[in-house]
Amino acid sequence: SNLYSYMVANAVHPDFDPDESHEEAYLNEQFTELLSRTGKDLTQMGPGIATLPLDPSSEEAKVEANLAAKETDLQKIVDEVKEKASSEWDESNLEETHQKQTEAMERARQLQAEIDQLHVDDCGAVLLANLAFYEAFSSRDAEWMNNVWWSSPSVICIHPSHSPLIGSNAIVDSFSKMFENGIKNTSRVRGGKSTAGSFMTPTNIRALSVRGTTASLVCDEEVYAKGSSGESERDRALVNKLVTTNIFRKIGGKWKMVH
């Protein structure tokens, strides 16, 4: 992605050229090094890369801590079961050993079910938050768009074929200008077509992932131009189609777009 390339080019290796270097092992090595940075090394990367941490006293921090504890317990059980399964069993106590293994697997199943349940309600909420972005765009409502995004200097938006915008102020301002100009001649609408009645809708939503207070999904963005007055919905024209990855974060109990 553009963000990936910018991070590597600007923060990891000053001589790295994202247009020339595509060697996967090298990219993975550099990105792993980037993610390992802490303290001053991390803050030097600037806003947007070092995402602001959760308030330790917030409900979201408690959710993350609860999830981490359950995942840790689950991994311990899995490791114990694997270790016992790979060792020689006491033939004089096979029934007891088998019983302990069965009980351990049942605890693991229960923990996994609890982890899954934590995310059931959030999946629907994330899809609604995603839809809100496209409704705000189609309605050309800057205030609504502002409410969609997390108000933070660490959020990022990459308009097609543009450099990343960092910070909610810059992002919302870009959409406000887009709305004021009628969304014409922008990267989301090809060919400079008249877009007085255009709208954008998410389709083919896939790769939905929710973990704790972070969620992401991939979808197609279909931009349509409505027909003239009196024409049916079937007469709308598809003027552009994009593929995007949207990332959300749960803040104050609400899912907000962060990328």
Side-chain angles (χ1 to χ4, degrees), residues 82-89:
K82 286 183 177 180
E83 183 180 354
K84 291 179 180 178
S86 61
S87 61
E88 292 187 8
W89 287 20

Side-chain angles (χ1 to χ4, degrees), residues 121-134 202 205-206 208 210 215 217 248 255:
D121 294 337
D122 282 327
C123 287
V126 169
L127 291 175
L128 288 175
N130 188 64
L131 180 61
F133 168 78
Y134 296 99
I205 297 174
R206 55 204 183 273
L208 172 61
V210 180
L217 59 81
F248 303 85
W255 287 97

Side-chain angles (χ1 to χ4, degrees), residues 87-121:
S87 61
E88 292 187 8
W89 287 20
D90 182 358
E91 295 186 4
S92 63
N93 255 328
L94 283 180
E95 185 174 343
E96 181 180 348
T97 302
H98 182 266
Q99 179 63 27
K100 288 181 178 179
Q101 289 288 79
T102 301
E103 291 174 354
M105 294 301 295
E106 178 59 22
R107 290 200 305 275
R109 187 196 65 78
Q110 291 175 353
L111 278 171
Q112 186 61 64
E114 291 174 10
I115 292 172
D116 293 342
Q117 187 60 42
L118 290 174
H119 299 136
V120 169
D121 294 337

Side-chain angles (χ1 to χ4, degrees), residues 186-197:
T186 72
S187 54
R188 292 184 183 270
V189 181
R190 289 187 304 209
K193 298 182 180 180
S194 174
T195 57

Side-chain angles (χ1 to χ4, degrees), residues 140 193-199 223-239:
R140 297 166 183 74
K193 298 182 180 180
S194 174
T195 57
S198 68
F199 62 95
V223 183
Y224 291 91
K226 293 181 180 177
S228 58
S229 180
E231 290 184 340
S232 68
E233 184 76 6
R234 290 178 299 177
D235 295 319
R236 64 186 184 178
L238 177 65
V239 296

Side-chain angles (χ1 to χ4, degrees), residues 244-257:
T244 184
T245 298
N246 295 331
I247 303 175
F248 303 85
R249 188 168 172 183
K250 194 174 187 180
I251 303 295
K254 297 181 179 179
W255 287 97
K256 297 290 186 177
M257 183 172 277

